Amino acid sequence: EQGIAAAYFHGGLPLRVREVLGQALADGRIAVLAAADGFTDEVMPPQLRQIILAGLPYDRAELVDWLGATGADGRQAAVTLLYSRGDVQAAERVLAELHPGREALAAIFRAVRSRAGAPGGAVWPDDALAASLEAAVPSRRTVGIGLDVLAEAGVLLREYDGERWRITLPEQGPRRDLSASLRYTEGNRETQELAALAAFAFGPLHDLLRAAAGGGREGEDRPGTG
């Protein structure tokens, strides 16, 4: 409506369309490009003058890359940060659902153990089991993921009967190590990365400026970026 040439960009677009959009931005035929994801260094023109981050990137490395993306041609540029603590809290909720921690896993194990001796035993999916865990885990999806983690770590045993999983507990043996589950290990890694991202993103401003001056590589000074 204001006569500004603009377009949108996301990873779901065909490769050829993304290539055309990247070239159009580099050539100046597009003044504004709203990118959801998939916009990488390979299609980032060096003459970008302004980037607006309307949300928190996935990790610290990605944030540093965006901070140093403008002004790659040595001329002054700007990055506007429009993320908030709410973005961190939203990411924490997603992680809690996809990667249940020790407390959630302990609650799932106790619920399974209490039902293992009941008629019919412990099974999944099971509405009664899910209902008993509503206060301890974010969702039914978390229960299923938690059962996967506990099975991978050898804390419980499962057998699929064609309709659902029948769950039993192994005989008493050595204490199981949750780190034997790749899902659990990956969840810990992502949680640590989010904590590092939050500390950096909301930390001292000079750390952000130093990262921007490094052109996306911390510790490397580059003039022209502010």
Side-chain angles (χ1 to χ4, degrees):
E1 292 179 354
Q2 311 233 354
I4 299 173
Y8 64 88
F9 186 110
H10 60 78
L13 294 174
L15 175 59
R16 180 55 184 159
V17 174
R18 285 180 279 152
E19 291 174 344
V20 169
L21 288 173
Q23 191 59 52
L25 184 63
D27 294 342
R29 289 180 285 120
I30 294 176
V32 177
L33 189 63
D37 56 29
F39 195 68
T40 62
D41 292 343
E42 288 74 16
V43 290
M44 190 90 67
Q47 69 272 28
L48 281 180
R49 293 287 163 262
Q50 183 176 35
I51 287 180
I52 300 175
L53 291 178
L56 199 61
Y58 291 112
D59 55 37
R60 173 176 170 143
E62 185 177 358
L63 176 55
V64 170
D65 285 343
W66 280 110
L67 288 172
T70 55
D73 58 359
R75 298 175 63 185
Q76 187 167 349
V79 177
T80 303
L81 305 177
L82 292 183
Y83 54 71
S84 69
R85 293 282 182 182
D87 292 314
V88 177
Q89 295 166 357
E92 288 173 342
R93 288 192 293 269
V94 172
L95 281 179
E97 181 176 13
L98 297 180
H99 299 290
R102 283 185 175 272
E103 291 186 5
L105 291 171
I108 293 171
F109 174 76
R110 288 192 296 267
V112 169
R113 183 176 59 187
S114 68
R115 299 186 66 81
V123 296
W124 185 257
D126 178 47
D127 291 340
L129 179 60
S132 69
L133 288 165
E134 284 183 351
V137 298
S139 67
R140 290 178 65 104
R141 183 182 186 184
T142 309
V143 177
I145 293 172
L147 291 172
D148 289 340
V149 170
L150 294 174
E152 288 178 1
V155 177
L156 53 80
L157 304 174
R158 297 185 303 177
E159 183 177 357
Y160 192 62
D161 65 5
E163 295 183 355
R164 53 188 177 176
W165 291 99
R166 298 202 169 273
I167 307 169
T168 58
L169 301 181
E171 295 182 3
Q172 190 69 27
R175 187 180 181 86
R176 301 309 198 278
D177 184 359
L178 289 175
S179 63
S181 167
L182 294 178
R183 282 176 179 262
Y184 183 76
T185 301
E186 177 67 13
N188 280 342
R189 184 187 65 77
E190 291 192 17
T191 300
Q192 292 168 3
E193 288 183 354
L194 178 59
L197 169 62
F200 176 66
F202 298 96
L205 180 60
H206 61 75
D207 287 346
L208 295 174
L209 293 174
R210 187 179 300 113
R217 297 173 295 280
E218 292 174 276
E220 299 179 19
D221 292 331
R222 176 173 61 83
T225 304

